[in-house]
Amino acid sequence: MSDHLVIFDTTLRDGEQSPGAAMTRDEKIRIARQLEKMRVDVIEAGFAAASNGDFESVRAVAEAVRESTVCSLARANEKDIARAGEAIQPAAAGRIHTFIATSPIHMEKKLRMTPDQVVEQAVKAIGWARQYTDDVEFSAEDAGRSELDFLCCVFEQVIKAGAKTINVPDTVGYNLPEQFAGLVRSLLERVPNADKVVWSVHCHNDLGLAVANSLAAVRAGARQVECTVNGLGERAGNASMEEVVMAVRTRGDVFPVTTRIDTTQIVPASKLVSQITGYPVQPNKAIVGANAFAHESGIHQDGVLKHRETYEIMRAEDVGWTTNRLTLGKLSGRNALRSRLQELGFVIESEEQLNAAFARFKELADKKQEIFDEDLQALMSDEVVTPEQERIKLISLRVCSETGETPQAAIALSIDGRESKVEAHGSGPVDSTFKAIESVMQSGASLLLYSVNAITGGTDAQGEVTVRLARGDRVVNGQGSDTDIIVASAKAYINALNRLDTRAKRVDPQGSTV
Ligand code: KIV
Ligand code: ZN
């Protein structure tokens, strides 16, 4: 059995299925480049058949990435598989990941198919996929609640049809570690030709066990883990990539495998994903939380100073906490900015784009002494918007907030190039700003989430605000950053409104049909 553990990152697909986490093509390319730099083996870039936009994103990632395999998800039907096959065509190494549900409840209630029909469809799907690539992965959706005999039968047939990776998803996060390891062990023992394929697991975190289940499966013989940066994903999320990778590395005494991940790229990847999706990382999150390596108690601090390993099992620098801190300042020039942006994965396509970024950089450098990578990422995410995403722009904002007085905001917006000015009162400066925007826009959207994070340390840090809006069945996140958090809030709200207008309808891969 191989001692290489394949890291299959699905941040751009399952991660994107988190409410409001939909990413633009350019955002996906930036994350994909960071995943490639981190030496992820397989990048699941999306579900190509979901919409034209999703197709374009998978294709763009397939064009941009050279060192990792690029994969598209596809339901087990000919049309989806053709879209996936076309989308991965430019990849240096491309994979099609096709799936069909195998649990009694999914087959009967969702697919309305008999077990025999499911096996037949799965086998056909492998045949269709192999017309595009030899690297075909098959997933038995809801394997965690499927019957073992039936799973063995499906897997036997898809292996015979040519699937190279067999994925065992705990789609609803129902399993417990010992039970899930037992399932993987039984499959490896019972499925004919099990030794000819790579066994993979894909665990959801509904009971907080996604990482534990994945690791138990690795000890039972799985050699691919599907995971996401920061554990992003449907509902409670997927297994967190950084936790899986660092557990395997830190406990090499227990795990008979290694990954090829450059762990120093973990924190930059975490920050990038958080910044792009608007999903903040909780401070006490393992590995990538701001407090993951902070020692508050005197006893711990004393111990660490005497001998680091008294209280630390990993080194902060090994997961990237000290890399990428290179700063730029007021005196840095255009070339320094260009090269740092390029290192961060931004493509500077024209002098105008660089000029615009440089002007914003100078504006920020006037307000803030040191500019960190995170500041540049925030600055560029404000910059990288397509014209159709920018129907509404902030021109100016004035907010009055005084003890004992009702806060008031006066805002000027440009809407399709026409200026509108309005004033509104609210219960606080942010509330009055949002009310002012809404009195012009009348979007009918409801505010689901408002969160503020400091991008870096210090009182001159930029505040990064996330606003999540819902209208009908659409949910979008908007981000804004500024050294003034009320301005950042206005930018985030406007960004969400722009996205609400432009986001196209997509097909849910795990919806009701095959
Ligand atoms: O959770 C799941 O079952 C999935 C499959 C499509 C692999 O995401
Ligand atoms: Zn999933």
Side-chain angles (χ1 to χ4, degrees):
M1 197 178 279
S2 161
D3 61 1
H4 173 60
L5 180 65
V6 176
I7 297 297
F8 175 115
D9 183 282
T10 183
T11 308
L12 301 179
R13 198 278 297 171
D14 215 321
E16 203 195 22
Q17 289 176 221
S18 314
M23 299 167 224
T24 65
R25 190 192 65 152
D26 290 352
E27 288 168 341
K28 283 194 164 192
I29 294 175
R30 278 167 60 203
I31 293 179
R33 288 212 169 101
Q34 177 61 28
L35 294 173
E36 180 183 31
K37 194 168 174 188
M38 200 162 46
R39 295 168 50 81
V40 158
D41 300 275
V42 186
I43 298 172
E44 188 163 55
F47 168 46
S51 69
N52 288 341
D54 288 79
F55 174 86
E56 292 305 335
S57 295
V58 176
R59 204 174 161 89
V61 171
E63 274 161 8
V65 166
R66 297 290 93 188
E67 303 294 330
S68 309
T69 296
V70 177
C71 169
S72 173
L73 184 70
R75 289 169 299 188
N77 70 57
E78 201 169 0
K79 246 169 101 186
D80 269 29
I81 290 171
R83 286 300 268 169
E86 260 180 79
I88 59 158
Q89 190 260 325
R95 173 179 295 189
I96 295 177
H97 173 194
T98 186
F99 74 99
I100 191 163
T102 52
S103 63
I105 185 168
H106 275 233
M107 291 192 288
E108 191 189 324
K109 306 284 183 210
K110 183 179 92 161
L111 299 176
R112 301 207 165 90
M113 287 169 81
T114 64
D116 284 350
Q117 287 171 325
V118 166
V119 177
E120 195 186 324
Q121 191 74 19
V123 169
K124 279 189 192 157
I126 305 302
W128 291 319
R130 289 196 61 201
Q131 293 172 3
Y132 299 91
T133 173
D134 279 344
D135 190 352
V136 176
E137 170 170 339
F138 173 77
S139 280
E141 189 189 8
D142 206 15
R145 291 189 301 170
S146 301
E147 284 163 5
L148 179 61
D149 287 347
F150 182 59
L151 271 185
C152 289
C153 162
V154 181
F155 289 152
E156 177 180 357
Q157 297 307 320
V158 293
I159 293 172
K160 221 186 260 172
K164 295 283 187 294
T165 301
I166 300 295
N167 187 34
V168 185
D170 183 20
T171 302
V172 291
Y174 179 70
N175 279 244
L176 305 177
E178 275 177 31
Q179 176 192 14
F180 196 58
L183 171 64
V184 171
R185 212 170 282 118
S186 304
L187 290 168
L188 262 76
E189 277 163 17
R190 289 185 43 183
V191 174
N193 294 315
D195 58 331
K196 306 279 186 305
V197 294
V198 174
W199 288 86
S200 167
V201 289
H202 173 114
C203 298
H204 278 271
N205 206 30
D206 299 67
L207 292 173
L209 293 170
V211 170
N213 286 340
S214 304
L215 294 174
V218 170
R219 295 192 70 194
R223 287 295 177 267
Q224 172 174 289
V225 171
E226 302 198 355
C227 46
T228 56
V229 174
N230 299 338
L232 203 65
E234 279 270 359
R235 305 181 309 279
N238 288 65
S240 137
M241 184 274 296
E242 54 280 5
E243 292 177 23
V244 169
V245 168
M246 290 313 291
V248 164
R249 180 179 144 137
T250 308
R251 295 306 309 271
D253 56 327
V254 170
F255 293 102
V257 290
T258 50
T259 72
R260 58 169 208 150
I261 297 294
D262 174 356
T263 59
T264 63
Q265 293 303 322
I266 285 179
V267 168
S270 161
K271 291 192 172 179
L272 182 64
V273 168
S274 167
Q275 186 260 315
I276 285 178
T277 59
Y279 272 68
V281 176
Q282 75 193 56
N284 57 333
K285 163 86 175 64
I287 322 289
V288 293
N291 295 347
F293 292 87
H295 297 279
E296 187 67 19
S297 99
I299 297 175
H300 287 206
Q301 285 173 353
D302 183 52
V304 170
L305 286 175
K306 286 182 176 139
H307 188 79
R308 193 183 55 78
E309 283 169 23
T310 49
Y311 287 101
E312 277 188 9
I313 57 167
M314 294 167 279
R315 295 189 316 170
E317 55 270 35
D318 288 349
V319 297
W321 273 109
T322 47
T323 51
N324 267 14
R325 301 295 290 171
L326 186 148
T327 55
L328 298 174
K330 228 177 152 70
L331 300 176
S332 306
R334 287 158 47 92
N335 283 340
L337 178 67
R338 185 206 302 266
S339 73
R340 194 64 195 146
L341 289 176
Q342 282 167 344
E343 277 166 31
L344 289 173
F346 292 99
V347 183
I348 309 291
E349 274 157 1
S350 63
E351 282 306 296
E352 292 77 63
Q353 200 191 348
L354 180 63
N355 290 344
F358 191 62
R360 292 168 63 86
F361 163 73
K362 283 287 176 191
E363 214 178 284
L364 180 61
D366 277 341
K367 298 185 202 157
K368 194 172 182 295
Q369 279 192 349
E370 293 170 304
I371 311 285
F372 295 97
D373 289 344
E374 294 89 328
D375 290 315
L376 294 181
Q377 274 158 347
L379 180 134
M380 288 304 283
S381 70
D382 282 357
E383 192 65 40
V384 184
V385 279
T386 57
E388 65 277 13
Q389 281 178 324
E390 247 210 324
R391 257 196 72 215
I392 316 159
K393 289 183 195 157
L394 175 67
I395 299 175
S396 66
L397 174 65
R398 186 170 48 80
V399 179
C400 298
S401 182
E402 192 182 335
T403 323
E405 298 293 325
T406 308
Q408 189 191 23
I411 198 160
L413 298 175
S414 158
I415 304 154
D416 293 326
R418 272 206 320 270
E419 188 171 330
S420 290
K421 286 184 175 168
V422 70
E423 293 186 5
H425 292 279
S427 58
V430 174
D431 187 47
S432 43
T433 302
F434 289 0
K435 285 201 167 113
I437 298 172
E438 270 305 324
S439 74
V440 184
M441 298 309 304
Q442 307 273 331
S443 74
S446 42
L447 181 68
L448 298 187
L449 175 129
Y450 170 76
S451 87
V452 187
N453 271 292
I455 295 180
T456 54
T459 50
D460 70 347
Q462 290 197 88
E464 184 173 55
V465 174
T466 300
V467 161
R468 187 172 303 152
L469 296 181
R471 188 173 60 203
D473 62 354
R474 290 185 174 195
V475 179
V476 293
N477 282 345
Q479 280 94 47
S481 53
D482 200 281
T483 47
D484 179 329
I485 59 165
I486 312 298
V487 174
S489 304
K491 285 182 181 174
Y493 198 94
I494 291 167
N495 183 241
L497 287 179
N498 280 321
R499 286 174 180 242
L500 205 53
D501 273 357
T502 56
R503 220 198 81 184
K505 193 119 187 85
R506 313 162 75 198
V507 176
D508 173 3
Q510 287 161 278
S512 57
T513 50
V514 181

